[in-house]
Amino acid sequence: MTPVRTLIAIATLAVVSATTTQAATLAEIQKTGVFRVGTEGTYPPFTYHDASGKLTGFDVAIARAIGARLGVKVAFLEGRWDGLIAGIDADRYDAVINEVGITPARKKKYDFSQPYIASKAALIVRSDDTAIKDFSDLEGKTAAQSLSSNYGAIATRNGATLTGTDGFAQSIALVLQHRADATVNDSLSYLDFKKHKPDAPVKLVATLPNADYSGVLIAKNQPELLAAINEALDAMKADGTYLKISQAYFGEDVSK
């Protein structure tokens, strides 16, 4: 008969084995010829589907340009924001490219490329709302947010109760439907939204002064992959590729 202690040890080892994975190295990615990128596909203008159903957006273009410089094909794997980063832990992705904010908490567990986009947190409300003029006015209000996003944390810090959403489009929809009072979201997303829907009855009432920076998120202990991604970003900025992508989606350089 196998001792109970041994059975427990075997069970524990099985759990560890099931939850511990080894991220693909740069050499392995180049050998397979595929760079697996996690992204939402529901967050315009960064990652979304156009009228034909094709995945497109600023981050999608950046990912494809990185892949080209790594000499591999980019395979996009779409998922909800709240589970994207966990996909790195499960070795589902080699990277997440989805305007992931570079934060101290995330840097403890993951590595980031150099920043490739800068944005500001914007407070967005209905056009007829006169009560919310600044972030401090969110006290006691409801904010439509992706629950684990930086923007959700800003809303919470200012006293808002969060209503969970899948991304910017749903957040705006809930505000327009009077199911939320406001959303704290990306200023660039708002500008893109108003460019396509100038008559939408929402307005931007405040932005935070400091820019937030986003980078390509990868697993820890992948120095060759990290260096290759940074070299690709440098090359894109040097040869004008980055500026061309930036102007296509925002009309200006959004790297700083």
Side-chain angles (χ1 to χ4, degrees):
M1 178 181 294
T2 304
V4 172
R5 184 177 299 176
T6 302
L7 290 174
I8 293 173
I10 292 171
T12 302
L13 180 60
V15 170
V16 172
S17 298
T19 58
T20 303
T21 55
Q22 179 63 48
T25 64
L26 174 63
E28 290 168 340
I29 290 168
Q30 292 178 326
K31 182 178 180 180
T32 62
V34 178
F35 183 41
R36 301 169 301 162
V37 172
T39 197
E40 279 181 281
T42 58
Y43 188 30
F46 304 99
T47 164
Y48 65 101
H49 291 266
D50 64 18
S52 70
K54 180 183 177 182
L55 182 67
T56 189
F58 176 82
D59 279 354
V60 172
I62 291 292
R64 288 182 173 136
I66 291 173
R69 283 158 178 78
L70 296 183
V72 297
K73 177 183 178 181
V74 178
F76 292 99
L77 300 170
E78 297 177 51
R80 291 168 58 98
W81 164 257
D82 292 343
L84 272 186
I85 295 178
I88 292 288
D89 302 329
D91 191 31
R92 187 180 179 203
Y93 321 123
D94 300 311
V96 175
I97 304 181
N98 198 94
E99 206 197 6
V100 183
I102 301 171
T103 67
R106 288 175 182 154
K107 288 175 71 175
K108 289 180 181 179
K109 189 173 182 181
Y110 307 97
D111 277 335
F112 280 93
S113 71
Q114 61 178 270
Y116 67 86
I117 188 169
S119 62
K120 292 184 178 181
L123 178 57
I124 303 161
V125 301
R126 289 182 295 278
S127 296
D128 60 358
D129 190 317
T130 58
I132 303 176
K133 300 177 181 178
D134 206 345
F135 290 89
S136 59
D137 296 324
L138 286 173
E139 181 71 38
K141 305 295 186 180
T142 57
Q145 310 288 156
S146 295
L147 297 180
S148 63
S149 70
N150 296 347
Y151 301 122
I154 292 169
T156 299
R157 286 199 301 270
N158 283 278
T161 299
L162 303 190
T163 297
T165 70
D166 290 334
F168 180 85
Q170 188 181 12
S171 295
I172 288 291
L174 293 187
V175 172
L176 290 171
Q177 295 163 8
H178 291 251
R179 295 168 61 190
D181 299 305
T183 181
V184 178
N185 238 292
D186 192 285
S187 57
L188 298 175
S189 291
Y190 173 78
L191 293 175
D192 176 76
F193 173 78
K194 289 295 279 187
K195 181 176 68 177
H196 291 94
K197 298 183 178 181
D199 297 327
V202 291
K203 60 185 179 181
L204 189 158
V205 293
T207 58
L208 291 181
N210 297 325
D212 290 320
Y213 295 94
S214 298
V216 178
L217 181 145
I218 67 171
K220 284 281 190 185
N221 303 315
Q222 296 290 338
E224 293 85 4
L225 177 59
L226 183 62
I229 291 172
N230 282 330
E231 288 171 7
L233 289 170
D234 284 336
M236 290 161 56
K237 291 175 181 178
D239 68 13
T241 299
Y242 180 90
L243 184 59
K244 182 178 179 180
I245 295 171
S246 182
Q247 288 179 331
Y249 289 96
F250 302 108
E252 59 183 81
D253 186 346
V254 293
S255 64
K256 53 190 175 182

